[in-house]
Amino acid sequence: MQKEDKIEALIVKSFSGNISPEENESIKEWVNESTQNIRYYQELKDIWQVIHPAFSPDEIDVDKAERKVMGLIQERKLINSSIFILWQRVAAVLIIPVIMLAAYLSYNQSNRSSSIAYQEITSPFGTSSKVDLSDGSTVWLNSGSKLRYPVVFTSNERNVYLSGEAFFKVHSDKSHPFIVETKGLNVTATGTQFNVEAYASDSITAVTLVEGKVNVKMVGDKNVHLNPNERIVFNSITNNYNLTETDGQHWGLWKDGILAFRDEPLNEVFKRIGRTFNVDIVIKDDNISHQLYRATFQGESFDEILRLLKISAPIKYKILERERKPDNQFNKEKIEVYKVN
Amino acid sequence: MPGIYHNIMKEEHYLLVELKQGNKEAFSLIFQKYYKDLVLFGGSLLRDKFQCEDIVQNVFLKLWRNRETLEIETSLKSFLIRSVQNSCLDELRHKVVIREHESYSQSFYASDNMDTEHYVLYSNLESHLEEALGKLPEVCRIAFEMNRLEGLKYREIAERLNVSERTIEVRIGKALGLLREYLKEFFVFLLLISGNWK
């Protein structure tokens, strides 16, 4: 039994990706000892994967997907039947080339309708980028974010998928709604400006509207219309949301290289600074996490910002030595923040 | 009891026969039954919801287009899982991510050998999971849920609970082993229904 406990702990460690080559080798050895072991490992892995899905099962819209697939099936049928009518009218001598052409066309058509070319843009930690979409909309991607979008928008809806934070300036087109899909919610807009925060590592997803109108549909089918200068924060653990009034412009300032904080708790302040500069910042004293802070930084270096924070908030910090990982790369810079008494 | 399994087998068999004759309702039933599970399964390989949905939709499109010539040697479930798996692996081969993926899933056996017949899908587990979690010893359950629901790393859980990281690994490992045991009835059940019907 003791042995079992040990191997399970190792296997679980390997699922979290944090395992040394030696430990990995010993799992491998154990697994290959017998077919029972292989089976046991498979079953554990299977349960683990099902319990830890890559994205929330509630986000998957089965009916929408079915409509899409049914639509593609229908489309193909139409093409086939019109070709049928056409070739009935053609003289016998032309039949063979026409069939060949028809086969080619319908093959081509069905291929085209079922595959849309997507483009994916990632803004690495510490940088932000700007993307112009084919419909005239513009997206600013914040540090550590990923946007997936079709090279050309072909369907009735303009769908994009976001992980991370982005500011959207949507080109107005009432008949083709622009939809931002994220892990926790979908935002539908026609022509507006809004900011979306949907980092995979965060349990919250937030949308802030600058101008126009958007509809926010959350996991669990809650629907909210946002007005300008309203901000909605959805928590995917509790499935609750919170709607507040805010200065909409403020939430898009990052795209102009401005870090602005308006009475925000220090833990949020450090989270955003950490993301912008690709540094792990950990607050070691919980009672300063919720202290509110107000400041605007523009163009300051990371060291400069830290220095200013130290002057204006009751904190001190410690920069940890960067550790070398087994693959010879260095860990992210890590900083610990303490309260000053 | 065997009657129930028999009925399920018959039901799937019936759905397949209807599908081959071009019955869209049968297609829709299959779609509704497996779509979500397959997207989630794809997620275990690709981790990108958008791509997974694309792949699964294409698998269903092909299922419909090739319905007349379809030869399924295994169960429908196994066939669909295998199709999604192949597409995902194709996709991975095209990606730079492949190196990252290899270290992630450290295959101890060739993925071709994966036992798709006995793979437990999300909808199979979903209804029994809460009950099984409730049966776990308190300390194991707490550590397991902190990781599952809050996405905390073992190190972070260890810090919060004030125990060593190693203790957390043991607790979560034990939790997973026990869950497997509680859900074992399931595996038996799946084993029976996925017998060798053609």
Side-chain angles (χ1 to χ4, degrees):
Chain A
M1 225 37 228
Q2 203 50 35
K3 168 95 184 162
E4 288 270 288
D5 274 2
K6 208 179 139 203
I7 197 72
E8 278 157 1
L10 267 187
I11 289 175
V12 160
K13 198 174 174 190
S14 77
F15 292 160
S16 79
N18 214 341
I19 191 159
S20 73
E22 300 81 47
E23 289 174 315
N24 209 22
E25 208 44 51
S26 56
I27 299 180
K28 213 170 188 170
E29 248 168 54
W30 183 84
V31 166
N32 287 328
E33 258 167 35
S34 68
T35 49
Q36 272 130 299
N37 288 3
I38 294 181
R39 184 70 186 275
Y40 186 70
Y41 177 81
Q42 273 194 345
E43 287 174 4
L44 290 184
K45 188 170 176 182
D46 176 3
I47 296 177
W48 183 265
Q49 283 178 347
V50 173
I51 294 180
H52 296 82
F55 29 79
S56 158
D58 298 335
E59 278 168 44
I60 302 168
D61 191 337
V62 179
D63 292 330
K64 186 178 158 195
E66 192 189 337
R67 279 197 300 278
K68 191 170 157 197
V69 171
M70 286 298 189
L72 290 172
I73 289 171
Q74 219 76 38
E75 224 168 86
R76 173 162 154 125
K77 216 170 164 188
L78 281 177
I79 292 160
N80 284 346
S81 59
S82 63
I83 282 162
F84 183 71
I85 294 161
L86 182 74
W87 80 256
Q88 269 189 323
R89 293 183 189 159
V90 190
V93 274
L94 282 177
I95 282 177
I96 288 170
V98 168
I99 289 177
M100 283 167 68
L101 181 69
Y104 172 72
L105 281 180
S106 79
Y107 175 76
N108 235 8
Q109 280 285 352
S110 59
N111 262 5
R112 198 175 311 145
S113 54
S114 65
S115 67
I116 302 169
Y118 286 97
Q119 180 97 18
E120 198 174 278
I121 289 222
T122 307
S123 222
F125 279 100
T127 65
S128 65
S129 37
K130 184 180 161 204
V131 191
D132 290 311
L133 303 182
S134 66
D135 66 332
S137 302
T138 308
V139 185
W140 287 263
L141 260 188
N142 205 347
S143 166
S145 307
K146 192 169 84 181
L147 182 76
R148 194 173 144 81
Y149 58 95
V151 177
V152 181
F153 291 103
T154 47
S155 60
N156 292 332
E157 294 173 346
R158 294 175 280 169
N159 289 73
V160 300
Y161 185 80
L162 170 73
S163 159
E165 178 169 20
F167 187 88
F168 292 88
K169 203 168 180 178
V170 175
H171 181 79
S172 177
D173 180 354
K174 292 238 155 34
S175 53
H176 297 91
F178 190 96
I179 301 175
V180 183
E181 295 187 29
T182 73
K183 65 178 169 39
L185 48 81
N186 290 354
V187 187
T188 307
T190 44
T192 49
Q193 291 189 35
F194 56 94
N195 190 59
V196 181
E197 297 145 73
Y199 281 99
S201 53
D202 253 2
S203 54
I204 63 146
T205 312
V207 182
T208 313
L209 184 62
V210 178
E211 62 173 60
K213 235 184 170 74
V214 294
N215 177 50
V216 178
K217 189 180 174 197
M218 286 157 276
V219 165
D221 271 356
K222 283 182 217 133
N223 248 313
V224 171
H225 285 285
L226 281 193
N227 293 316
N229 295 322
E230 278 182 349
R231 172 176 167 83
I232 188 166
V233 180
F234 173 71
N235 183 323
S236 53
I237 292 175
T238 58
N239 265 358
N240 284 327
Y241 68 86
N242 190 12
L243 190 68
T244 49
E245 293 237 344
T246 180
D247 170 15
Q249 289 291 352
H250 166 84
W251 296 91
L253 287 176
W254 60 262
K255 69 179 198 300
D256 308 314
I258 300 172
L259 269 172
F261 304 101
R262 292 282 169 274
D263 299 327
E264 279 167 64
L266 270 179
N267 57 355
E268 283 297 320
V269 172
F270 281 120
K271 197 197 273 177
R272 263 209 286 149
I273 294 177
R275 241 173 221 159
T276 308
F277 294 98
N278 194 25
V279 180
D280 261 337
I281 307 179
V282 186
I283 299 185
K284 286 303 204 184
D285 287 309
D286 262 355
N287 44 3
I288 52 167
S289 300
H290 299 290
Q291 191 140 349
L292 300 181
Y293 190 76
R294 209 178 161 94
T296 305
F297 301 109
Q298 184 171 17
E300 272 94 351
S301 69
F302 177 59
D303 295 336
E304 189 74 9
I305 290 180
L306 268 188
R307 197 180 58 81
L308 290 169
L309 270 165
K310 198 177 148 190
I311 297 171
S312 50
I315 58 157
K316 58 182 178 186
Y317 55 87
K318 191 163 97 189
I319 301 176
L320 303 185
E321 208 169 311
R322 299 177 83 174
E323 293 161 25
R324 193 191 282 264
K325 289 191 287 189
D327 57 0
N328 263 342
Q329 291 198 317
F330 282 97
N331 272 332
K332 263 214 274 197
E333 183 164 4
K334 193 172 170 181
I335 290 181
E336 290 182 341
V337 178
Y338 299 88
K339 187 183 171 193
V340 175
N341 294 311
Chain B
M1 277 309 268
I4 299 169
Y5 310 132
H6 193 67
N7 282 344
I8 293 171
M9 282 156 55
K10 246 172 56 184
E11 187 193 299
E12 285 224 347
H13 184 64
Y14 168 77
L15 279 178
L16 266 183
V17 171
E18 286 294 308
L19 175 75
K20 284 193 179 194
Q21 291 170 357
N23 181 340
K24 276 199 182 155
E25 257 168 65
F27 178 72
S28 168
L29 283 170
I30 297 172
F31 193 96
Q32 289 285 340
K33 183 171 177 193
Y34 285 112
Y35 183 75
K36 191 181 263 195
D37 281 345
L38 291 171
V39 173
L40 287 167
F41 168 72
S44 69
L45 295 163
L46 281 186
R47 336 254 350 134
D48 181 324
K49 181 188 161 232
F50 227 67
Q51 247 174 358
C52 292
E53 291 219 47
D54 257 9
I55 282 174
V56 176
Q57 285 168 16
N58 261 318
V59 163
F60 274 107
L61 217 56
K62 274 191 206 143
L63 180 75
W64 175 259
R65 290 185 179 159
N66 303 333
R67 64 187 182 277
E68 281 157 28
T69 52
L70 205 63
E71 290 277 351
I72 298 184
E73 307 257 314
T74 55
S75 66
L76 179 58
K77 168 190 152 187
S78 194
F79 173 80
L80 290 171
I81 291 181
R82 182 76 69 194
S83 307
V84 172
Q85 188 188 34
N86 287 340
S87 301
C88 287
L89 292 178
D90 276 350
E91 191 68 40
L92 277 174
R93 273 179 214 119
H94 287 123
K95 277 186 160 185
V96 201
V97 196
I98 192 143
R99 224 172 300 137
E100 195 181 308
H101 168 76
E102 274 170 358
S103 64
Y104 159 74
S105 73
Q106 288 295 348
S107 313
F108 297 126
Y109 40 88
S111 50
D112 300 345
N113 294 335
M114 192 186 102
D115 192 346
T116 46
E117 202 68 67
H118 299 120
Y119 192 88
V120 181
L121 293 164
Y122 168 75
S123 59
N124 302 136
L125 272 195
E126 190 202 8
S127 45
H128 295 250
L129 183 61
E130 288 307 318
E131 194 192 330
L133 285 169
K135 283 205 251 174
L136 292 176
E138 193 72 1
V139 282
C140 295
R141 190 181 56 77
I142 288 172
F144 192 81
E145 294 282 59
M146 279 171 112
N147 171 260
R148 180 174 85 109
L149 297 177
E150 296 175 53
L152 293 178
K153 299 203 174 71
Y154 300 163
R155 179 179 49 77
E156 294 167 323
I157 300 173
E159 273 169 24
R160 282 211 195 174
L161 298 179
N162 222 349
V163 293
S164 72
E165 200 172 334
R166 166 85 193 140
T167 307
I168 295 304
E169 284 159 15
V170 171
R171 285 182 190 173
I172 292 181
K174 188 154 186 204
L176 186 64
L178 286 170
L179 281 178
R180 173 191 160 273
E181 211 143 284
Y182 302 148
L183 297 166
K184 186 91 188 168
E185 292 158 35
F186 246 148
F187 288 111
V188 177
F189 173 73
L190 288 169
L191 204 109
L192 281 168
I193 61 166
S194 59
N196 287 322
W197 62 280
K198 299 216 166 148

